[in-house]
Amino acid sequence: MEKVYALIDCDSFFVSCEQAVFPELKGKPVCVTGGVNGCVVSRSKEAKKEGVPMGYPVFMAKKEFKNVIYIEGNHERYKDFSNRVMGVLNNFSPCVEKCSIDEAYVDFTGLCKLYKKNYYELAVYLRQKILDEVDIPVSIGVSKSKTLAKFASDYAKNKGGVYLIGKSKLKKILPITKVEDICGIGKRMKTALNKEGILTCAEFVSKSDEWLKNKYSVTYWELKHELLGECIYKISPEHKVPKSIQETSSFAPSTNEKEFLKNEINKHIKDACRKMRKHNLKTSNIGVMLKTKDFVVYSDSKNTQSALCLEMDISKFAFELFEKIYNSNMLYRSTGVFFSNLSDADITQGNLFDNTDSKKSGNLSKSIDKIEAKFGKGSIKTGFV
């Protein structure tokens, strides 16, 4: 069966999350920033019309664009909304590949019979479903390859939120699309292709397979066939086990307040442990990081005798490391924790001299995860000494 893929791209995602929480912000020029001393990282349509550039320093933006509302980013909120959007997609199709916090590919193949809709109607239905259930607007591009679905999603932003690229549209799009707009072609490759007289996608796909393979690599042969509507890159919904896990965040203003910093570390431990348990993993190497106001990083790590996954067990080692690297004479702008030496929780070997009751710890950690899954993140908190 011929494949049909869709790319779902959340519109102005960080701003959309804030507008979902605070509906009074809808229809207003809003920018989400990376902190007081950071840059603009997300803009509403109205803020774009005001002329606020992406990545613009906040202090300059506030002086030049006074009608815009500026909100400091809340990444925990955005993670939660992302999970909710992905939940809708996973309930809609058995084959979903998450690309980033605000993008995912969905396999539409065969869903027409299930939902009794054509592909355009499927995309419209899914877009409305996400809006109804999560209150996040999305753009959906549909085509016969991942590369073309990405193109289609870009067009969808100015075409009512849904756009399909079939054979007839493809003939019109390739001649007017520049090669640098292809996902996977960077500045160097763009320059190299331009020197060969290849400026558009139509000129790119006109080159022979042998020429592309010999001149560059098989990657560009694959891109050519993706642009022709042939499915070379498959959607990969496989569960990928991480090799390490880290949680970091910055804050403003910078501070040396010990209890505040420890509380930030504690939140990172909890988030990292939840992520680790999601993959059924344990760690035997724990690290802590402090970054100063001047961007100097101090960190330390420690191996544990046995593999751990519960906050209370891990925090004991983490706060020992914190005490080693903390300096009350310094101002800090961010904190973080990192876990490595990850192993499967089901086959992790215990230590003869370890006093930790792994069964009780495991039951407690599962209970914490269940409570938060039912009542929301942060509904139960772990403390520190």
Side-chain angles (χ1 to χ4, degrees):
M1 185 180 292
E2 204 170 40
K3 289 289 184 181
V4 177
Y5 290 157
L7 179 67
I8 288 73
D9 184 4
C10 299
D11 299 335
S12 304
F13 182 56
F14 294 169
V15 167
S16 294
C17 293
E18 298 294 342
Q19 290 174 331
V21 176
F22 306 104
E24 63 273 17
L25 295 174
K26 292 182 179 181
K28 296 181 179 180
V30 179
C31 287
V32 170
T33 72
V36 177
N37 299 317
C39 301
V40 173
V41 295
S42 183
R43 304 163 296 164
S44 67
K45 290 186 294 184
E46 295 77 13
K48 292 175 184 177
K49 289 180 181 178
E50 289 283 334
V52 183
M54 190 67 162
Y56 209 51
V58 176
F59 77 95
M60 292 176 65
K62 287 183 176 180
K63 290 179 181 178
E64 294 182 40
F65 307 99
K66 296 182 179 179
N67 294 329
V68 176
I69 300 168
Y70 298 93
I71 301 173
E72 189 171 334
N74 183 333
H75 292 285
E76 292 305 319
R77 175 175 294 155
Y78 310 148
K79 286 180 187 177
D80 287 340
F81 271 94
S82 177
N83 290 335
R84 290 168 62 187
V85 171
M86 299 304 159
V88 174
L89 299 183
N90 282 300
N91 287 331
F92 181 79
S93 171
C95 193
V96 177
E97 179 185 343
K98 182 178 179 180
C99 308
S100 64
I101 194 170
D102 62 346
E103 275 189 337
Y105 285 102
V106 176
D107 192 343
F108 271 20
T109 312
L111 295 184
C112 289
K113 290 184 179 179
L114 177 64
Y115 289 97
K116 297 180 179 178
K117 302 178 187 296
N118 61 35
Y119 289 120
Y120 181 82
E121 292 169 340
L122 269 180
V124 171
Y125 172 74
L126 178 56
R127 185 173 186 269
Q128 189 62 46
K129 190 174 180 65
I130 295 169
L131 193 61
D132 291 342
E133 295 187 20
V134 193
D135 199 17
I136 296 293
V138 301
S139 297
I140 302 181
V142 183
S143 196
K144 294 182 179 179
S145 71
K146 291 173 78 172
T147 302
L148 289 179
K150 173 66 176 171
F151 271 168
S153 72
D154 293 337
Y155 276 96
K157 294 184 184 299
N158 299 312
K159 300 285 185 179
V162 172
Y163 195 77
L164 275 67
I165 295 180
K167 289 183 179 179
S168 59
K169 286 182 182 176
L170 189 58
K171 291 178 181 178
K172 298 176 183 178
I173 288 172
L174 292 182
I176 62 172
T177 305
K178 296 178 180 179
V179 288
E180 58 263 35
D181 294 333
I182 305 173
C183 183
I185 291 186
K187 289 183 178 179
R188 288 185 180 179
M189 189 60 187
K190 176 232 176 186
T191 302
L193 290 172
N194 288 173
K195 287 181 179 178
E196 296 288 342
I198 302 171
L199 304 178
T200 69
C201 290
E203 292 166 340
F204 179 77
V205 300
S206 69
K207 293 297 180 181
S208 70
D209 293 351
E210 292 73 20
W211 187 85
L212 287 170
K213 288 179 183 178
N214 296 331
K215 185 75 176 179
Y216 301 109
S217 71
V218 70
T219 300
Y220 299 101
W221 168 83
E222 292 172 344
L223 276 176
K224 169 190 169 177
H225 287 275
E226 279 272 311
L227 288 169
L228 290 172
E230 300 169 26
C231 181
I232 304 297
Y233 305 136
K234 309 294 183 183
I235 287 181
S236 304
E238 293 90 359
H239 177 74
K240 295 181 180 179
V241 178
K243 295 181 179 179
S244 63
I245 290 174
Q246 65 176 11
E247 288 288 333
T248 62
S249 67
S250 57
F251 39 81
S254 299
T255 181
N256 63 351
E257 188 180 338
K258 194 172 187 179
E259 292 305 304
F260 173 82
L261 296 171
K262 289 179 71 175
N263 188 59
E264 291 293 299
I265 293 289
N266 199 50
K267 287 192 289 186
H268 295 326
I269 292 171
K270 188 175 180 182
D271 290 341
C273 285
R274 185 191 300 107
K275 189 180 294 185
M276 189 164 55
R277 291 193 295 265
K278 179 182 176 182
H279 295 283
N280 198 38
L281 298 171
K282 289 187 175 184
T283 179
S284 57
N285 183 272
I286 298 161
V288 173
M289 177 277 292
L290 295 175
K291 184 184 289 185
T292 70
K293 182 182 178 182
D294 300 320
F295 294 89
V296 178
V297 175
Y298 295 90
S299 64
D300 200 358
S301 62
K302 182 181 180 66
N303 290 320
T304 60
Q305 288 187 332
S306 59
L308 308 170
C309 71
L310 185 63
E311 290 90 328
M312 282 75 87
D313 298 332
I314 289 172
S315 62
K316 177 179 67 174
F317 296 101
F319 289 123
E320 287 176 3
L321 294 168
F322 171 82
E323 294 292 344
K324 286 176 65 177
I325 62 176
Y326 171 73
N327 185 335
S328 60
N329 296 318
M330 292 183 176
L331 293 175
Y332 299 98
R333 70 185 314 273
S334 66
T335 59
V337 300
F338 48 92
F339 301 159
S340 58
N341 291 355
L342 302 180
S343 55
D344 191 318
D346 293 333
I347 59 174
T348 300
Q349 185 174 351
N351 185 282
L352 181 64
F353 302 103
D354 180 29
N355 294 321
T356 303
D357 191 329
S358 59
K359 187 175 181 180
K360 286 183 179 180
S361 296
N363 290 336
L364 180 57
S365 64
K366 288 178 182 177
S367 298
I368 291 173
D369 293 341
K370 285 181 180 179
I371 291 171
E372 292 204 325
K374 185 175 182 179
F375 298 104
K377 189 174 177 182
S379 54
I380 185 167
K381 302 182 185 299
T382 56
F384 58 88
V385 180

